Amino acid sequence: MEQRVLKTLEYDKIVALLVEKATSNVGKEKAQALFPSSNMDQVRFSQQATTEGATVLRLKGSVPLGGIRDIRSSSQRARLGSMLAPMELMDIASTIFAGRRLKTMLLDVCEENELPIIKAEAERIEGLRELESEIKRCIDENGDVLDSASPELRTIRQEIRQLESRIREKLDQMVRSSSYQKMLMESIITIRGDRFVIPVKQEYRHVFGGIVHDQSASGATLFIEPEAIVTMNNKLREFRLKEEREVEKILYQLTERVAEQLEPLKENVEALAELDFIFAKAQLAYSMKAIGPKLNDRGYIRLRKGRHPLISRDVVVPIDVELGGEYTAIVVTGPNTGGKTVSLKTVGLLSLMTMSGLHIPAEEESEMTVFSSIFADIGDEQSIEQSLSTFSSHMTNIIHILKSMDERSLVLFDELGAGTDPTEGAALAMSIIDHVIDKKARLIATTHYSELKAYAYERPEAINASVEFDVQTLRPTYRLLVGVPGRSNAFAISRRLGLPEEIIERAKGSISEEENQVEMMIASLERNRKKAEQERHDAEALRKESEELRKQLEEERARFAEEKNRLLEKAEEEARLAVQLAKEEADTIIRELRGMMKEGIDIKEHKLIDAKKRLGEAVLELEKEKVKKPAKAVRATQIKPGDEVMVTSFNQRGTVLEKTGSKEFLVQIGIMKMKVKQDDMHVVNPVKAEPQVTYTSVKRARGNVKMELDLRGFKVEDGLREIDQYLDEALLAGLHTVSIIHGHGTGALRKAVQDYLRHHRLVKSHRLGGQGEGGVGATIVELK
């Protein structure tokens, strides 16, 4: 690719934008060296890398690239055995840390996403944690060697600090002494040449003795090192020399550690530079709203809404271009200042960006190819130094292009044949286009010669194009119209500006009938194109609307199916729980009855009835869960004898025997009959027939029920079950007061018994046993 072409198409400005996006110097250097490639595999790889970088930015928003330094020269000096400065070592540590941090982040992303290029580059980075830790142990962020770098350095610096303290203390005594106050210019201690001095007036220099290290500009002040501290300053100097030697020793040791890791460091820098370069391309693509084009090796271009990347998105007019399929040449005709050159440069620059692995500002489904070379003859190439005219300069360039191009080249000609006689220029332009087409190269040429309009119709490999012009506003719209040749708008513009109609008509009369027919044909084509475009736009809008509706319906159907599945799962779970609860209830009832039978207890008839009801209730609850239909409410005014009701205050079921008042009923609850207010109950199972009242004889066997129940050794749950059974039997036996023995123990059984008795329907009151009644080990219960 020729440098002159890159400059003509403003490729260097794209590279400058890319360099700004890079974070590190090594990344910027790689971006600055970007150059288009004609190798398809290399372009595919580079495009894929940019796509992967854009994917990471889309998922994470940003990438941690800070802290990367160009340590190549430092590494080379370490190889040669030169001592590295503290800041050079800190740059190495910073680069190691930045690489490890970036590697961790990228590999996390690669675990859930297919990013082979980025993963391969990240895996090249080695942690080198020991080298980084050793450097940071010895050097701080400011580049100062720390006391902790070695025991010897810590000892030397302690000596220095102690000696400095003694020197300052000695000088403080001098400057604060009243006898010396008048001899000093200021009562301060300062440093000259690493030695402590005090400012003495010129006339008192002999009083202090010592060494004069400096004087003021006027000579009135001398900076003297008093004789009393010369020895201490000398000793301080010796310690500082020791400190310098120890620091050098530490730096040499660190440099040797770096030299041992030169290859991993070199690999890290190369990988970091490549990653920074990839993410710079991705950032540039994001800022341009660019996409990765499809690639082909057929010399085929299909740009959809392609935009010139150096023109603001608010100003640029997108163009649609197709080249290399049905036709290999596009001839753009029409007047100047219509945007033909911008269209030409857009195609050329986007081709260069594609071949450089950069995404292009266009819509999805755009397709680009890889050319062996791109040639351009754009702008005024006149050379004053060579005394060449505009035409001669262009022709020299065109001759070079025709000699160098091949069937995989893209050739761009702007104002082909301009600068000479129109007739000869048009003929020459057609001949040049013929030659390029015969060579099977791809060509886009702009011209204002009307002769080339008919030429494009005669060559099947070529197609006309033009840039739209709005006669109403007298301005070009900059829209490229492929398939429609440009036409002269001179008459329309003149009429719009107010030129008399008779002059316009006289001018039209001087034009041949054939030329008028061509202009009329072009005008008709343009009208038909606008109509077809509007219809296409309307059809596209309808398609998008129907697509949106279809998408909404699909989402609604998916949500409906999801909700249906959720409700079915919920119903199944509730039914399963209901069955489980019913089974547990039935098992409990059967276990209680079997327990009574094993103990030889005479099971009363009311116990069997109660057990049968509990089993029935368990089945009823299960059926309700399966049917999932709310029970129909029965108004209180509809209660009648024979109805099964739920008494709210007792939370017990019963059967209505008779009505005893306007809003009061006699209800059978177990073995008890009681009057219940109408508002205190609701119907559970209404009956339609006349109530069938049955009378149950109850066997009372006082002698079979003891006055006390011993629960010692029982678990809480079993004990409470025994209490419930015992109290029923005690009530049937006619007992009024009974004793429940629960023992002392931990007190858990006693508390559970008393809590249970507090809410039991048969208990009137209860208390702990008194003296002779078992004390706190028993509870005395009074029944209703």
Side-chain angles (χ1 to χ4, degrees), residues 523-535:
S524 176
L525 282 173
E526 192 167 346
R527 285 193 300 271
N528 292 335
R529 183 202 58 78
K530 288 183 177 180
K531 182 180 179 181
E533 186 173 341
Q534 183 61 43
E535 291 175 351

Side-chain angles (χ1 to χ4, degrees), residues 43-51 292-293 295 353-354 357-359:
V43 173
R44 287 189 189 277
F45 181 86
S46 186
Q47 284 285 345
Q48 177 63 26
T50 306
T51 300
L295 296 175
M353 290 175 65
T354 299
L358 300 176
H359 285 182

Side-chain angles (χ1 to χ4, degrees), residues 507-764:
K508 284 184 177 181
S510 62
I511 297 177
S512 67
E513 185 176 348
E514 291 181 359
E515 291 179 352
N516 277 325
Q517 288 177 350
V518 170
E519 289 296 322
M520 291 173 64
M521 178 191 68
I522 294 173
S524 176
L525 282 173
E526 192 167 346
R527 285 193 300 271
N528 292 335
R529 183 202 58 78
K530 288 183 177 180
K531 182 180 179 181
E533 186 173 341
Q534 183 61 43
E535 291 175 351
R536 185 193 61 79
H537 182 270
D538 294 341
E540 182 69 15
L542 287 173
R543 187 193 65 77
K544 288 182 178 179
E545 184 178 352
S546 62
E547 183 69 20
E548 186 65 26
L549 288 173
R550 186 193 64 78
K551 184 178 178 182
Q552 291 177 5
L553 288 174
E554 289 290 338
E555 291 175 354
E556 289 292 335
R557 186 168 66 178
R559 282 197 294 268
F560 175 77
E562 184 179 351
E563 182 66 14
K564 176 183 175 183
N565 292 335
R566 188 185 67 79
L567 290 174
L568 286 173
E569 290 175 2
K570 182 179 178 183
E572 289 175 0
E573 180 64 18
E574 290 177 350
R576 187 188 65 77
L577 290 175
V579 170
Q580 182 179 348
L581 290 173
K583 184 176 180 301
E584 291 175 356
E585 180 69 13
D587 290 344
T588 302
I589 295 168
I590 293 170
R591 192 164 51 250
E592 290 177 2
L593 294 175
R594 286 176 177 170
M596 293 178 185
M597 293 172 66
K598 284 181 182 179
E599 294 175 6
I601 297 174
D602 185 13
I603 302 174
K604 307 298 186 293
E605 187 174 353
H606 81 280
K607 284 288 185 181
L608 293 173
I609 294 171
D610 185 51
K612 184 177 180 181
K613 283 185 179 180
R614 288 166 65 189
L615 281 169
E617 290 168 5
V619 175
L620 179 63
E621 289 299 320
L622 173 58
E623 290 175 351
K624 284 181 179 179
E625 289 295 330
K626 287 182 178 178
V627 175
K628 302 301 270 183
K629 290 183 178 179
K632 192 172 182 179
V634 180
R635 291 181 297 173
T637 55
Q638 297 175 343
I639 296 176
K640 53 187 178 296
D643 287 347
E644 186 177 350
V645 295
M646 173 64 74
V647 181
T648 306
S649 58
F650 290 96
N651 194 28
Q652 294 291 328
R653 293 180 183 231
T655 303
V656 177
L657 299 178
E658 61 178 311
K659 189 172 185 179
T660 58
S662 61
K663 292 187 178 180
E664 190 177 67
F665 295 85
L666 183 65
V667 180
Q668 174 94 33
I669 303 176
I671 63 171
M672 297 183 296
K673 297 179 182 179
M674 59 177 61
K675 292 181 180 181
V676 181
K677 295 291 184 181
Q678 176 179 295
D679 296 338
D680 192 25
M681 60 183 174
H682 61 273
V683 177
V684 176
N685 189 13
V687 298
K688 296 181 180 179
E690 290 295 324
Q692 299 294 322
V693 181
T694 59
Y695 298 93
T696 304
S697 60
V698 180
K699 217 170 165 183
R700 295 175 181 264
R702 181 184 179 93
N704 292 336
V705 181
K706 296 182 179 181
M707 294 291 291
E708 61 185 27
L709 174 66
D710 191 349
L711 297 178
R712 286 175 293 183
F714 279 77
K715 293 182 179 179
V716 171
E717 183 180 352
D718 296 335
L720 296 182
R721 189 160 46 242
E722 290 293 324
I723 290 173
D724 189 51
Q725 176 181 324
Y726 172 72
L727 293 180
D728 282 343
E729 294 171 355
L731 183 66
L732 292 173
L735 300 179
H736 297 290
T737 304
V738 295
S739 176
I740 298 177
I741 302 172
H742 42 65
H744 295 275
T746 61
L749 182 59
R750 178 178 69 244
K751 183 176 184 305
V753 167
Q754 293 185 344
D755 289 343
Y756 185 69
L757 294 174
R758 189 175 296 112
H759 302 289
H760 200 282
R761 66 184 185 281
L762 301 179
V763 176
K764 183 177 181 180

